[in-house]
Amino acid sequence: MMADAGPDAMYVAGGTDLYPNMKRRQQTPKIVIGLAQLAELRAVDGKPTEGMVLGAGVTLSDLTGHRHIQHAYPAVAKAAELISTPLLRNMGSIGGNLLLDTRCNYYDQNYEWRQAIHFCMKKDGDICWVAPSSPRCWAVQSSDCAPVMVAIGAKVRLISSSGERLLPAAELYNDDGIRHLTKRPDELLAGIHLPRVNGWRATYWKLRRRGSFDFPVLGVAAWVRLAGDGTVEDARIVLGGVGSSPMRVAGAEKAIAGKKLTEDTIREASAAAYPVAKPLDNTDFAMSWRKDMARHYVAGTLRELAGLPPSFPPPGGDAPFGLPVLPA
Ligand SMILES: Cc1cc2nc3c(=O)[nH]c(=O)nc-3n(C[C@H](O)[C@H](O)[C@H](O)COP(=O)(O)OP(=O)(O)OC[C@H]3O[C@@H](n4cnc5c(N)ncnc54)[C@H](O)[C@@H]3O)c2cc1C
Ligand code: SF4
């Protein structure tokens, strides 16, 4: 069907991202191909000891409620559970979440609002209102599950009439607010392959204004494999919500590789997150505060994985899901 429909068509799964975007005329497909009734996309297969495959159409509610996902992949379950609201999680799929459009305060507005500012280069215009001299768009990668899939080393299977390919989740994303996916428009995301669980651990922390529901303005996914004596054999630390793609913090990974997770090594790793996080003024909260929070959140995730007591939020802070809300 997609091959016949050509470039004017788009897939839709739960529609919780695409339909609001169509109402705002940000995305304007002439043909919409529904995936919700494809049973093959709704299956969860495999075992944690061998690796699991999530059909792209599995709803976020089914994902968070799945016994193996809760126990063996708690970072995936937690990220999915922190997305939007129960009603939207009943409709929204994991595939749609990984392919979520990038977001920006100048773009996520109705047509008339955007027309009044002569649009922007992501849709219908030719300027970026966030960085007017910039040749590129800085709209923000805002999927909660994307940084987690990159951190745990998941792979995605893409299918089209010309063949199929399996690529690391990290390679699904481009650091560009407009061409943010390497997936071709004609490719169907069929499944997400989770690696087997063999001693690694991972977690995800999300920063947002409202604990009830909100897109992330910072997400930190951390993955470590520890030797028997607690030495870090391998690590991946990935930031979401502070760039146009999930961003690995190589300096933080290097700071803990071959060492134990101690107060000192965690401090060094979290400091490395500060220069990597480059939020701009196009989502919620002051960008300098979000940048600063990146180091606290990296420290928080690593402390959790090390089994150290949390140093953050400060005593008395309101902490839905173990996370802070606004500073006083
Ligand atoms: C009020 C509100 C709050 C939200 N809060 C959050 C949040 O906190 N965190 C978050 O991450 N998201 C949030 N979302 C976004 C959205 O609900 C989720 O990301 C959801 O998982 C999207 O899945 P979907 O199936 O509805 O995607 P759709 O809207 O169906 O699709 C999204 C995109 O993916 C494409 N697509 C979908 N499935 C496939 C496939 N199998 N193959 C190829 N292309 C495909 C579509 O063409 C479209 O471009 C929110 C949305 C709303 C409306
Ligand atoms: S970052 Fe710039 S070009 Fe991109 S959506 Fe925002 S205003 Fe538009």
Side-chain angles (χ1 to χ4, degrees):
M1 286 172 73
M2 183 56 93
D4 287 347
D8 287 337
M10 285 181 78
Y11 289 118
V12 66
T16 63
D17 181 47
L18 182 63
Y19 290 153
N21 287 0
M22 287 174 68
K23 286 184 194 168
R24 294 187 290 245
R25 284 179 270 172
Q26 294 159 296
Q27 291 176 311
T28 50
K30 293 206 171 56
I31 298 168
V32 174
I33 300 175
L35 304 173
Q37 300 304 317
L38 291 181
E40 293 88 340
L41 293 188
R42 301 287 287 259
V44 177
D45 293 319
K47 292 183 200 154
T49 47
E50 293 163 4
M52 296 190 68
V53 181
L54 311 175
V58 171
T59 65
L60 299 169
S61 296
D62 286 348
L63 192 61
T64 55
H66 195 284
R67 191 168 50 94
H68 286 333
I69 302 299
Q70 283 174 348
H71 292 127
Y73 302 93
V76 174
K78 184 177 177 189
E81 193 179 8
L82 292 173
I83 293 171
S84 54
T85 66
L87 294 178
L88 287 159
R89 290 196 294 275
N90 288 344
M91 289 300 294
S93 64
I94 178 64
N97 185 246
L98 297 184
L99 302 175
L100 185 69
D101 194 11
T102 50
R103 297 181 61 80
C104 171
N105 286 345
Y106 294 89
Y107 170 71
D108 293 301
Q109 305 288 348
N110 65 36
Y111 185 84
E112 291 72 20
W113 193 104
R114 291 185 294 116
Q115 186 179 40
I117 60 163
H118 305 293
F119 304 103
C120 76
M121 71 168 80
K122 186 158 160 72
K123 178 67 178 159
D124 298 327
D126 52 16
I127 190 171
C128 172
W129 291 109
V130 177
S133 58
S134 169
R136 61 161 282 191
C137 163
W138 298 89
V140 181
Q141 184 283 125
S142 305
S143 153
D144 281 299
C145 291
V148 175
M149 295 303 179
V150 173
I152 68 172
K155 293 184 174 164
V156 293
R157 189 158 69 100
L158 303 174
I159 299 183
S160 70
S161 57
S162 56
E164 70 175 78
R165 55 190 180 128
L166 186 68
L167 70 157
E171 292 177 20
L172 183 60
Y173 300 101
N174 273 327
D175 185 20
D176 184 288
I178 297 172
R179 287 163 290 276
H180 58 104
L181 295 174
T182 60
K183 185 187 89 59
R184 297 192 314 269
D186 65 313
E187 285 180 307
L188 174 80
L189 171 58
I192 300 106
H193 295 236
L194 306 182
R196 71 191 179 99
V197 176
N198 59 353
W200 56 262
R201 354 177 153 163
T203 189
Y204 177 69
W205 280 33
K206 169 175 181 172
L207 177 66
R208 56 181 168 178
R209 185 177 291 269
R210 293 172 293 189
S212 55
F213 80 105
D214 252 331
F215 281 92
V217 292
L218 167 69
V220 176
W223 172 96
V224 290
R225 190 168 45 233
L226 303 177
D229 66 352
T231 303
V232 177
E233 289 180 336
D234 203 358
R236 280 190 291 268
I237 295 166
V238 182
L239 306 182
V242 285
S244 298
S245 65
M247 296 152 82
R248 270 183 78 172
V249 191
E253 295 168 5
K254 205 169 150 209
I256 54 174
K259 300 177 194 156
K260 292 187 178 160
L261 288 173
T262 62
E263 299 283 349
D264 287 345
T265 55
I266 290 176
R267 195 176 310 110
E268 200 185 326
S270 54
Y274 187 76
V276 175
K278 294 191 177 79
L280 292 176
D281 199 11
N282 58 350
T283 62
D284 198 6
F285 290 132
M287 57 185 182
S288 54
W289 185 71
R290 281 165 61 211
K291 184 173 172 67
D292 194 36
M293 291 304 284
R295 67 175 134 205
H296 293 297
Y297 269 47
V298 168
T301 55
L302 292 178
R303 293 182 76 88
E304 182 190 321
L305 294 177
L308 292 169
S311 61
F312 189 80
D318 184 3
F321 302 105
L323 305 180
V325 289
L326 276 172

